[in-house]
């Protein structure tokens, strides 16, 4: 079992993906891996999300395939059962925290305020998703959180792009960012996966 901090150290970018067709997702995963990113957050925002995740887990066993938009104990169990290696949620509830505490994969819960971070720490979490990052204070908020929460790390997600990603990653408490700018739906829909590989390579070079 990978801890949340270990998941966050796999890559500087965790692509946030919403794809409904298994074929497209498999091609997308291959394009991302070719570009240098072998971790995927596949959100539960599409009807076939669980089937898509399961297919990627089977086809790319060495990749770190996780599920996003996990908001209930049932969905946490469902993604665990199909082989996801981590789960990400936009927030945290007592029920979800309890499910994660007894689960076989790590949960990266979303927070937006100091109170939510404190609540998460009480549940035993030491790594969070700041969401929606640019709306709830962005870089300045994370700098402020670094004082009272010096041992806590964050994956900012929401509004992250090629122009601001590096400013987040320059912070000591930010090992990675989450974003969809390297996996735009238009490129997936038109199956321009070579462009995804190019965007991924460019993003990683920019963030070095």
């Amino acid at each position: 079992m990978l801890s949340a901090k270990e998941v966050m150290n796999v890559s500087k970018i965790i692509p946030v993906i919403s794809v409904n067709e298994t074929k497209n997702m498999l091609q997308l995963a291959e394009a991302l891996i070719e570009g240098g990113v072998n971790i995927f957050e596949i959100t539960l925002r599409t009807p076939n999300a669980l089937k898509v995740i399961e297919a990627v887990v089977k086809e790319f066993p060495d990749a770190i395939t996780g599920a996003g938009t996990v908001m209930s104990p049932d969905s946490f169990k469902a993604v665990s059962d199909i082989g996801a290696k981590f789960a990400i949620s936009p927030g945290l509830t007592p029920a979800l925290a309890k499910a994660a505490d007894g689960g076989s994969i790590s949960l990266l819960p979303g927070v937006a305020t100091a109170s939510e971070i404190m609540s998460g720490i009480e549940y035993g979490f030491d790594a969070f998703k700041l969401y929606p990052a640019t709306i709830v204070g962005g870089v300045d908020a994370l700098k402020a959180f670094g004082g009272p929460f010096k041992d806590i790390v964050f994956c900012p997600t929401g509004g992250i792009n090629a122009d601001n990603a590096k400013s987040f990653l320059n912070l000591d408490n930010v090992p990675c960012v989450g974003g969809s700018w390297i996996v735009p739906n238009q490129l997936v829909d038109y199956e321009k996966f070579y462009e995804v590989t190019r965007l991924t390579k460019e993003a990683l070079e920019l963030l070095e």
Side-chain angles (χ1 to χ4, degrees):
M1 174 179 170
L2 292 172
S3 70
K5 284 186 174 180
E6 287 172 334
V7 169
M8 293 167 74
N9 281 300
V10 170
S11 171
K12 290 183 178 180
I13 305 172
I14 299 179
V16 181
I17 303 165
S18 294
V19 173
N20 193 50
E21 299 297 330
T22 298
K23 176 187 173 184
N24 283 355
M25 184 60 229
L26 293 176
Q27 291 175 291
L28 179 58
E30 188 172 6
L32 286 166
I33 291 171
E34 187 174 343
V37 170
N38 71 332
I39 183 169
F40 322 120
E41 177 193 344
I42 303 172
T43 69
L44 300 184
R45 299 177 188 174
T46 64
N48 291 323
L50 290 175
K51 291 181 179 178
V52 169
I53 293 169
E54 187 173 23
V56 176
V57 168
K58 290 179 179 178
E59 188 72 20
F60 301 96
D62 294 331
I64 310 301
T65 302
T69 324
V70 176
M71 297 191 290
S72 70
D74 287 344
S75 59
F76 183 83
K77 183 179 186 304
V79 299
S80 301
D81 289 346
I82 60 174
K85 295 181 180 177
F86 65 93
I88 297 181
S89 175
L92 183 65
T93 65
L96 186 56
K98 182 178 179 181
D101 185 51
S104 59
I105 63 174
S106 59
L107 173 69
L108 187 66
V111 294
T113 67
S115 293
E116 291 172 359
I117 297 168
M118 291 169 64
S119 178
I121 291 172
E122 287 187 355
Y123 285 119
F125 294 96
D126 60 3
F128 299 92
K129 173 172 85 166
L130 181 72
Y131 179 80
T134 57
I135 294 176
V136 299
V139 169
D140 289 339
L142 288 163
K143 285 180 179 178
F145 290 153
F149 307 116
K150 59 184 178 65
D151 296 322
I152 303 301
V153 293
F154 301 88
C155 175
T157 305
I160 309 299
N161 54 51
D163 295 327
N164 63 15
K166 193 164 186 177
S167 64
F168 283 94
L169 287 165
N170 285 337
L171 302 175
D172 291 337
N173 57 353
V174 177
C176 68
V177 297
S180 57
W181 85 93
I182 62 172
V183 288
N185 286 336
Q186 187 174 9
L187 293 184
V188 176
D189 291 341
Y190 287 97
E191 299 187 3
K192 294 185 177 181
F193 297 106
Y194 61 92
E195 287 289 340
V196 172
T197 297
R198 180 185 63 80
L199 285 174
T200 304
K201 288 180 178 178
E202 287 181 356
L204 291 176
E205 289 174 4
L206 180 68
L207 299 178
E208 285 183 355

